[in-house]
């Protein structure tokens, strides 16, 4: 979260984000509070594809390295990714709450990690199967009459791991066993482990949901030995069958992807059917062929040469999925370079994922590593970004999860509320994955601008370029600037021309009404002067939308403009997403001259529309913060703010005349939809003198770092000096709804902490 000051207390972050041992996990479960993390729930994207999927395994500086008082790596290409693994080398890794919400906003599953590596993990590997043992002496009531394996299978840790996934809101685990299984000749412990994986999967699906995942990493084989196979084969098949997916090691030879396909297709269909496991039958898409972006043994050398490995995996034709490991390579290899900045990293990150910003720009790739012994010569063409290999999916249907973006990459340098800067910029900036939102999947690597209502013209379409602008924002830390370069024209209609600027694709439900809202600024640049006219628009490929309730442009503070419209997808709108964008008109006195101008996007939201003609008896709730409280710590300065959000209804009075008992019209009715009760995405926290009021209070941060709703840790040590000098303090809590609307002060609450 953007916070004032630096060096914040760990009390402001997630509690117990990881566990170094299973004993530590047991100790936590003995004392854990019953609260459930307030994260965005998972809703599956409705965009389907038959080609291979992308799994991203985020191994970055050991994990949990983000700090609220500086910028760092953030992942922003969620529309290409289906599953994201938060990885560290602790025994049990749970994803931070901000990463969970960010993934779920984009319809992406996010998994934790269960890992056993090095000799010290061997005892925990057995404990996983035996379960938690009692403190006192125990044993069988009588000697067993039938010989059984020396390794039993307890459900204890399967239940506990599923419970913590449910409590914290993530979607399962990567299972990484990289130490030998020795009990019962190795093969007995290996068999017991596969049974435990089945238990874990059943527990996850029962507690987390049918979408939950337990993905096996290619390491241990049937004998209990660690022998990476780099493909699916008979040696690791027993571990693939009870899992939801299989993540191969990344040192494979050129023929291994196709051999994996051949082996999978040779399996008895009954082995991979729904009869032996919960969920759908296995497909080739459940096999994730590993690629190490660091290049450690990966074909092509990793980095900008990673595309060479992807060309052999061939997700489109072979339908194999891909597991990218260590994609934070861009940041870690650049961060110590002279003159390093977030902007330079973003340029490199964009190049790797979606290609260069300038069409036709050459990308220098490292030379092909030397061939392995016996490996045939392998020729590859020029650089290809990751986006060449994977289908783009849309965020969840806004009827399930309101879509709202401020185009935030999860970092910034200042903070704006309704166009007003409430936190001054700092050189180090801030990181807050919880505030990350879609960057507009139709704007990168460059906007796909088209002429609007100029059929038959041969005039070149204006060039457009997208960039993140951290100097101005409507809400958050940045806006998104689209700059247009327009060539001169002698055409008769050249005095006023229009282009279509698509911003975001969305999957929607036919015949359901939606509201779309955009907030933007027009920014003329230099000479000659340009008149700019912007209108919000929705397009549906192959169909006609019903557009209604188009609002006039509404002027907002700071030169911002808001437009709203309501649309209804047609009945035949089943698969193709709608495009939300702007129609941009521009006029100039001399169209023969070249033009340049920009549009700064501040916010885009799409959500279910309110009834256009609601019955008089329908009463709709609005959000209100009912109360706020402050509990001091022992040092009498720091403490915890808490509050409650409630639903507020319009005034109601007794009808006159009183209706008859047989009147079929209710005196009132309430919205019973999923989004009827007000919901906030996060909250702003201010502090000031009691008599000054909220408009003069000082912004000290936002919620979102600790995963708990309606709570903010006030760290006295990092508060501004102007606040520390106050004899009496009043905290103000201001909500931001899940539709991106900042609550008016009359809807908010304060608490005095004198």
């Amino acid at each position: 979260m953007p916070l004032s000051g630096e060096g914040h207390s760990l009390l402001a972050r997630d509690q117990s984000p990881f566990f170094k041992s299973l004993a530590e996990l047991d100790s936590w479960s003995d004392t854990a509070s019953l609260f459930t993390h307030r994260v965005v729930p998972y809703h599956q994207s409705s965009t389907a594809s038959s080609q291979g999927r992308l799994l991203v395994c985020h191994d970055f500086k050991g994990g949990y390295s983000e700090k609220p008082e500086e910028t760092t790596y953030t992942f922003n290409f969620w529309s290409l990714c289906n599953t994201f693994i938060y990885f560290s080398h602790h025994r049990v890794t749970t994803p931070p709450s901000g990463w969970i919400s960010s993934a779920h906003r984009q319809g992406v599953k996010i998994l934790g990690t269960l890992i056993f590596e090095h000799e010290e993990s061997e005892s925990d590997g057995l404990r996983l199967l035996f379960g938690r043992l009692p403190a006192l002496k125990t044993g069988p009531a009588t000697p067993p009459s039938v010989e059984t394996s020396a390794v039993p299978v307890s459900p204890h840790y399967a239940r506990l791991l599923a419970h913590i996934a449910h409590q914290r809101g993530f979607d399962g685990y990567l299972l990484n066993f990289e130490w030998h299984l020795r009990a019962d000749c190795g093969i007995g412990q290996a068999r017991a482990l596969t049974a435990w994986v089945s238990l874990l999967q059943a527990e996850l699906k029962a507690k987390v949901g049918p979408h939950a995942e337990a993905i096996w990493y290619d390491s241990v084989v049937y004998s209990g030995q660690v022998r990476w196979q780099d493909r699916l084969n008979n040696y690791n098949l027993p571990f693939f069958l009870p899992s939801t997916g299989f993540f191969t090691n990344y040192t494979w030879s050129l023929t291994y992807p196709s051999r994996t396909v051949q082996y999978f297709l040779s399996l008895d269909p009954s082995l991979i059917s729904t009869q032996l496991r919960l969920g759908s039958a296995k497909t080739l898409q459940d096999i994730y062929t590993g690629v190490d972006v660091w290049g450690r043994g990966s074909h092509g050398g990793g980095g900008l040469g990673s595309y060479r490995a992807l060309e052999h995996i061939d997700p489109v034709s072979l339908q194999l999925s891909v597991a990218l490991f260590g994609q934070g390579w861009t940041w870690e290899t650049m961060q110590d370079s002279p003159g390093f900045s977030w902007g330079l990293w973003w340029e490199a990150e964009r190049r790797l994922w979606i290609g260069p910003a300038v069409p036709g720009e050459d990308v220098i790739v490292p030379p092909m590593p030397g061939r392995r012994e016996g490996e045939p010569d392998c020729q590859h063409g020029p650089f290809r970004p990751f986006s060449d290999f994977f289908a783009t999916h849309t965020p969840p249907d806004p009827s399930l999860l309101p879509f709202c973006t401020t185009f935030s990459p999860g970092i910034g340098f200042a903070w704006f509320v309704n166009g007003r800067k409430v936190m001054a910029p700092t050189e180090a900036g801030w990181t807050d994955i919880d505030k990350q939102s879609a960057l507009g999947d139709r704007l990168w690597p460059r906007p796909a601008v088209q002429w609007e209502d100029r059929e038959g013209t041969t005039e070149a379409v204006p060039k457009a370029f997208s960039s993140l602008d951290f100097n101005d924002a409507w809400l958050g830390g940045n806006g998104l600037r689209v700059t247009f370069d327009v060539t001169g024209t002698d055409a008769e209609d050249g005095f006023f021309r229009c282009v279509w600027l698509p911003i975001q694709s969305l999957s929607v439900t036919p015949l359901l009404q939606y509201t779309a809202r955009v907030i933007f600024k027009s920014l003329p640049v230099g000479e000659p002067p340009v008149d700019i006219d912007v209108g919000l628009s929705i397009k549906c490929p192959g169909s006609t939308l019903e557009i209604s309730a188009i609002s006039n442009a509404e002027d907002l503070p700071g030169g911002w403009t808001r437009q709203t419209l309501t649309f209804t997808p047609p009945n035949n709108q089943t698969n193709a997403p709608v495009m939300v964008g702007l129609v941009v008109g521009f006029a100039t006195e001399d169209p023969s001259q070249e033009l340049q101008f920009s549009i700064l996007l501040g916010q885009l939201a799409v959500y279910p529309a309110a009834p256009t003609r609601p019955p008089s008896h329908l009463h709709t709730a609005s959000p209100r913060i009912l109360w706020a409280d402050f509990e001091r710590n022992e040092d009498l300065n720091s403490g915890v703010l808490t509050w409650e959000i409630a639903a507020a209804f319009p005034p109601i009075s007794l009808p006159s005349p009183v209706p008859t008992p047989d009147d079929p019209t209710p005196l009132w009715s309430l919205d019973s939809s999923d989004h009827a009760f007000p919901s906030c995405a996060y909250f702003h926290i201010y502090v000031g003198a009691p008599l000054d009021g909220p408009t003069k209070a000082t912004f000290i941060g936002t919620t979102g770092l600790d995963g708990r709703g309606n709570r903010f840790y006030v760290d006295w040590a990092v508060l501004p000096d102007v606040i520390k000098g106050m004899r009496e303090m009043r905290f103000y809590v201001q909500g931001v709804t899940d539709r991106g609307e900042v609550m008016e002060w009359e809807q908010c609450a304060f608490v005095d902490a004198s």
Side-chain angles (χ1 to χ4, degrees):
M1 59 182 134
L3 293 173
S4 62
E6 56 185 45
H8 299 88
S9 167
L10 293 178
L11 295 174
R13 305 190 182 196
D14 286 320
Q15 287 185 335
S16 304
F18 57 83
F19 303 95
K20 296 180 180 180
S21 66
L22 295 182
E24 191 174 293
L25 178 63
D26 279 324
S27 296
W28 169 85
S29 69
D30 290 340
T31 59
S33 60
L34 299 178
F35 77 89
T36 299
H37 280 220
R38 292 283 185 89
V39 296
V40 174
Y42 173 77
H43 292 282
Q44 184 174 354
S45 170
S46 53
T47 309
S49 174
S50 60
Q51 68 185 64
R53 300 185 290 253
L54 174 62
L55 178 154
V56 173
C57 190
H58 181 58
D59 179 16
F60 183 76
K61 295 185 177 181
Y64 309 102
S65 61
E66 299 88 13
K67 296 180 181 179
E69 66 267 20
E70 65 181 24
T71 61
T72 188
Y73 176 89
T74 59
F75 179 70
N76 288 280
F77 300 100
W78 297 103
S79 62
L80 299 172
C81 175
N82 302 94
T83 303
F84 188 90
I85 295 170
Y86 196 89
F87 184 92
S88 80
H89 292 276
H90 302 294
R91 181 77 68 240
V92 179
T93 296
T94 69
S97 54
W99 283 92
I100 297 170
S101 288
S102 187
H104 287 175
R105 282 192 197 99
Q106 306 293 327
V108 176
K109 299 177 186 179
I110 183 166
L111 313 183
T113 304
L114 175 66
I115 190 170
F116 298 83
E117 54 184 353
H118 313 305
E119 188 172 4
E120 57 83 20
S121 71
E122 187 165 359
S123 60
D124 256 8
L126 282 171
R127 183 178 180 130
L128 185 77
L129 301 174
F130 277 82
R132 185 176 187 175
L133 299 180
L136 301 178
K137 182 178 180 180
T138 185
T142 61
S145 58
V146 178
E147 184 178 0
T148 60
S149 169
V151 184
V153 182
S154 164
H156 172 72
Y157 288 108
R159 291 172 181 162
L160 192 49
L161 289 167
H163 169 72
I164 196 171
H166 166 69
Q167 186 209 42
R168 301 190 178 189
F170 61 97
D171 309 301
Y173 295 90
L174 170 70
L175 307 177
N176 189 347
F177 287 73
E178 291 192 84
W179 189 252
H180 308 291
L181 311 179
R182 307 180 196 272
D184 200 8
C185 302
I187 191 171
Q189 187 176 352
R191 183 184 62 178
L193 181 55
T194 62
W196 182 86
V197 173
S198 292
L199 287 176
L200 175 64
Q201 187 193 158
E203 291 289 337
L204 285 169
K205 292 189 180 298
K207 291 185 172 68
V208 175
H211 68 279
E213 297 260 23
I215 294 179
W216 180 263
Y217 175 65
D218 164 32
S219 48
V220 168
V221 295
Y222 71 94
S223 63
Q225 296 175 297
V226 177
R227 290 176 56 186
W228 299 274
Q229 299 298 293
D230 297 306
R231 68 182 181 95
L232 181 67
N233 61 21
N234 179 263
Y235 288 7
N236 50 40
L237 178 62
F239 300 96
F240 171 56
L241 293 177
S243 308
T244 57
F246 184 80
F247 181 157
T248 82
N249 193 41
Y250 37 78
T251 57
W252 42 268
S253 300
L254 298 185
T255 60
Y256 276 27
S258 58
R259 290 177 67 183
T260 290
V261 172
Q262 293 169 6
Y263 181 76
F264 178 83
L265 296 177
S266 73
L267 296 175
D268 185 334
S270 65
L271 283 175
I272 54 176
S273 71
T274 58
Q275 302 302 312
L276 297 181
R277 58 190 291 267
L278 295 170
S280 58
K282 280 186 167 63
T283 69
L284 286 167
Q285 293 175 309
D286 297 319
I287 304 172
Y288 299 86
T289 303
V291 176
D292 186 356
V293 183
W294 286 85
R296 295 163 290 198
S298 277
H299 180 76
L304 292 173
S306 298
Y307 73 96
R308 297 162 175 151
L310 297 178
E311 288 182 337
H312 287 287
I313 301 170
D314 196 359
V316 176
S317 298
L318 293 182
Q319 297 182 347
L320 285 173
S321 294
V322 172
L324 279 181
F325 185 83
Q327 86 295 343
W329 165 87
T330 47
W331 184 282
E332 293 197 63
T333 54
M334 293 180 64
Q335 63 180 347
D336 296 325
S337 303
F340 173 75
S341 67
W342 191 91
L344 289 175
W345 166 78
W346 176 237
E347 182 180 342
E349 178 81 348
R350 285 174 55 184
R351 186 180 298 113
L352 177 67
W353 280 90
I354 55 179
V358 179
E361 177 185 322
D362 289 334
V363 177
I364 300 174
V365 298
M368 185 75 178
R371 286 179 290 163
R372 299 169 183 166
E373 184 177 351
E375 194 170 70
D377 189 21
C378 182
Q379 299 296 323
H380 292 276
F383 169 79
R384 296 172 64 189
F386 291 155
S387 59
D388 272 11
F389 300 92
F390 305 102
T392 299
H393 66 80
T394 62
D397 187 327
S399 67
L400 301 173
L401 183 69
F403 174 83
C404 182
T405 178
T406 55
F407 308 98
S408 170
I411 69 102
F413 299 88
W415 188 261
F416 297 77
V417 177
N418 288 352
R420 183 174 71 93
K421 188 184 297 181
V422 298
M423 187 174 82
T426 62
E427 184 177 352
W430 52 263
T431 297
D432 186 356
I433 309 297
D434 179 71
K435 304 304 178 293
Q436 189 182 54
S437 54
L439 298 184
D441 61 359
R442 298 295 166 171
L443 297 175
W444 308 90
R446 63 201 67 87
V449 175
Q450 302 173 10
W451 286 120
E452 179 78 2
D453 295 331
R454 297 192 77 202
E455 291 81 1
T457 183
T458 58
E459 182 183 339
V461 176
K463 295 180 180 178
F465 303 92
S466 51
S467 61
L468 300 174
D469 187 338
F470 295 99
N471 296 314
D472 198 1
W474 171 249
L475 179 63
N478 67 281
L480 192 149
R481 181 185 291 260
V482 180
T483 300
F484 298 85
D485 287 336
V486 186
T487 59
T489 181
D490 295 325
E492 292 183 2
D493 62 351
F495 290 95
F496 182 77
R497 290 165 282 176
C498 286
V499 293
W500 159 244
L501 173 66
I503 298 174
Q504 179 69 43
S505 58
L506 291 170
S507 294
V508 291
T509 302
L511 303 181
L512 183 66
Q513 271 198 336
Y514 294 85
T515 293
R517 184 184 68 242
V518 67
I519 296 176
F520 65 91
K521 279 186 183 185
S522 300
L523 301 172
V525 179
E527 294 291 334
V530 185
D531 290 329
I532 304 169
D533 185 26
V534 180
L536 176 61
S537 183
I538 314 290
K539 294 187 182 255
C540 177
S543 301
T544 302
L545 290 168
E546 179 186 330
I547 304 292
S548 60
I550 302 176
S551 73
N552 294 323
E554 180 185 355
D555 292 335
L556 300 173
W560 293 92
T561 299
R562 174 166 53 209
Q563 287 190 4
T564 305
L565 63 77
T566 300
F567 68 95
T568 305
N571 195 30
N572 61 350
Q573 180 70 17
T574 53
N575 294 317
V578 299
M579 304 294 173
V580 186
L582 301 177
V583 174
V584 182
F586 51 94
T588 184
E589 291 184 1
D590 184 1
S592 66
Q593 292 185 303
E594 294 182 349
L595 308 174
Q596 186 181 79
F597 62 91
S598 297
I599 303 292
L600 185 62
L601 300 172
Q603 187 183 82
L604 179 66
V606 180
Y607 46 86
T612 54
R613 293 183 179 86
S616 59
H617 56 76
L618 180 63
H619 292 190
T620 303
S622 59
R624 176 187 169 193
I625 299 176
L626 195 60
W627 52 260
D629 199 5
F630 181 70
E631 182 179 352
R632 294 184 182 277
N633 286 355
E634 293 180 358
D635 64 8
L636 299 182
N637 288 316
S638 299
V640 176
L641 272 173
T642 55
W643 55 90
E644 184 64 88
I645 184 169
F649 293 95
I652 187 172
S653 59
L654 291 172
S656 179
V658 176
T660 67
D662 296 322
D663 189 334
T665 302
L667 293 175
W668 67 82
S669 64
L670 303 178
D671 185 356
S672 59
S673 66
D674 292 340
H675 302 290
F677 196 87
S679 176
C680 282
Y682 59 92
F683 298 85
H684 294 140
I685 309 299
Y686 298 79
V687 62
L691 298 180
D692 287 346
T695 58
K696 294 183 179 180
T698 300
F699 173 86
I700 60 171
T702 69
T703 60
L705 193 60
D706 66 358
R708 285 183 278 182
N710 303 359
R711 178 189 186 274
F712 181 88
Y713 182 76
V714 178
D715 189 352
W716 179 261
V718 301
L719 291 180
D721 290 339
V722 65
I723 296 173
K724 293 180 180 178
M726 291 180 179
R727 299 181 63 182
E728 297 180 332
M729 289 189 302
R730 174 171 288 182
F731 292 101
Y732 295 92
V733 181
Q734 181 184 55
V736 178
T737 72
D738 55 5
R739 300 176 183 188
E741 298 162 324
V742 178
M743 292 170 59
E744 299 292 339
W745 284 118
E746 63 188 30
Q747 300 172 283
C748 302
F750 73 86
V751 59
D752 288 331
S754 303

